[in-house]
Amino acid sequence: VIDPPGVLKKPLEERNTIEMQSITALAHLQCCVLYVLDISEECGHSIAEQVALFDQIKPLFASKPLVVAVNKTDARDPSDLTPPEEALLQTMRDAGAHVVFMSTFTEQGVQQVKQTACDLLLAQRVEAKLQSSRVESVIGRIRVAEPPPSADGAPARRQTFVPASVLAARAAGKAAGAAAGAAAGAARSFRIGMALSAACRSSELSNAKWRYAFGFPLAAPWS
């Protein structure tokens, strides 16, 4: 997204370097052009002057998606436009622009402007790809095959098929995983038992009766 410097209505040879940057960007970039028009005229230029500037730089928009965002509808409602002003906006529509009303202050219509610009840009890119020679060469090698319909005319339904070798590999993998888990569990149980045995050999219960709480001596025989 590029926000170029402002462009004033004057002959091309009288434009300064900053204005020429905008002219160059509009002329050479593959983009969707968003032309912002101040409906309230608080910018110091009337709608007629803003449309005149649009007509002057309109050749730069050739073959580019174009959206005219009529801004500051919070300060002036579009229904308040005079017939001459409505006619000026219609000339922009006739030039191929999509006129959308919005207000950056209340954010009303901002999302619609974004959506319109994105849709136009996407449609342009899709059209450009379809017209390229590369797409034509690829399409010629694509073949879509469909199974014939069943005897009653209903669309054929193909069941999912998994090769026997894949099923066998899955089963072998599950068996190996189960065996590894069992071996790990046995090793863990053995380590716990050895740790308990070592603890019993190195400790004495304070009460001798506790040593036979489970029917066999816990610590005395190993101490």
Side-chain angles (χ1 to χ4, degrees):
V1 177
I2 299 178
D3 182 13
V7 178
L8 299 177
K9 186 178 183 301
K10 63 175 75 171
L12 185 63
E13 61 274 8
E14 297 182 8
R15 300 187 187 279
N16 56 33
T17 303
I18 296 178
E19 290 180 301
M20 289 304 298
Q21 291 178 357
S22 300
I23 299 298
T24 304
L26 292 173
H28 297 286
L29 291 181
Q30 296 297 325
C31 61
C32 176
V33 179
L34 181 63
Y35 187 90
V36 181
L37 186 144
D38 185 357
I39 192 177
S40 68
E41 300 181 344
E42 295 177 353
C43 62
H45 298 278
S46 65
I47 294 179
E49 292 174 335
Q50 297 177 68
V51 174
L53 173 61
F54 174 85
D55 292 335
Q56 186 185 42
I57 62 177
K58 183 171 56 178
L60 301 174
F61 307 151
S63 69
K64 291 184 175 65
L66 176 60
V67 178
V68 174
V70 183
N71 192 27
K72 295 188 179 181
T73 56
D74 58 288
R76 184 184 182 187
D77 193 88
S79 60
D80 297 335
L81 292 173
T82 63
E85 292 172 337
E86 286 281 5
L88 290 173
L89 293 183
Q90 185 58 43
T91 60
M92 304 177 83
R93 294 188 181 95
D94 296 339
H98 292 72
V99 179
V100 184
F101 295 92
M102 73 172 187
S103 169
T104 55
F105 180 75
T106 64
E107 297 187 356
Q108 182 179 4
V110 174
Q111 184 60 37
Q112 183 182 358
V113 171
K114 294 179 182 179
Q115 189 65 44
T116 302
C118 291
D119 291 344
L120 292 174
L121 187 59
L122 178 61
Q124 183 200 41
R125 290 183 176 179
V126 170
E127 183 66 23
K129 287 184 177 295
L130 290 177
Q131 293 178 356
S132 65
S133 57
R134 181 179 178 182
V135 173
E136 294 179 357
S137 62
V138 172
I139 290 179
R141 292 178 291 175
I142 296 177
R143 178 176 179 272
V144 179
E146 296 183 1
S150 57
D152 57 357
R157 295 183 179 180
R158 300 181 61 183
Q159 300 296 329
T160 303
F161 173 75
V162 181
S165 58
V166 175
L167 294 177
R170 289 180 181 176
K174 291 181 179 179
R188 185 167 53 252
S189 300
F190 177 76
R191 289 194 299 270
I192 294 175
M194 293 298 293
L196 290 176
S197 177
C200 290
R201 285 195 301 270
S202 61
S203 63
E204 288 288 345
L205 297 178
S206 59
N207 191 333
K209 295 182 180 180
W210 293 349
R211 302 174 185 175
Y212 298 89
F214 295 97
F216 56 87
L218 291 179
W222 302 302
S223 54

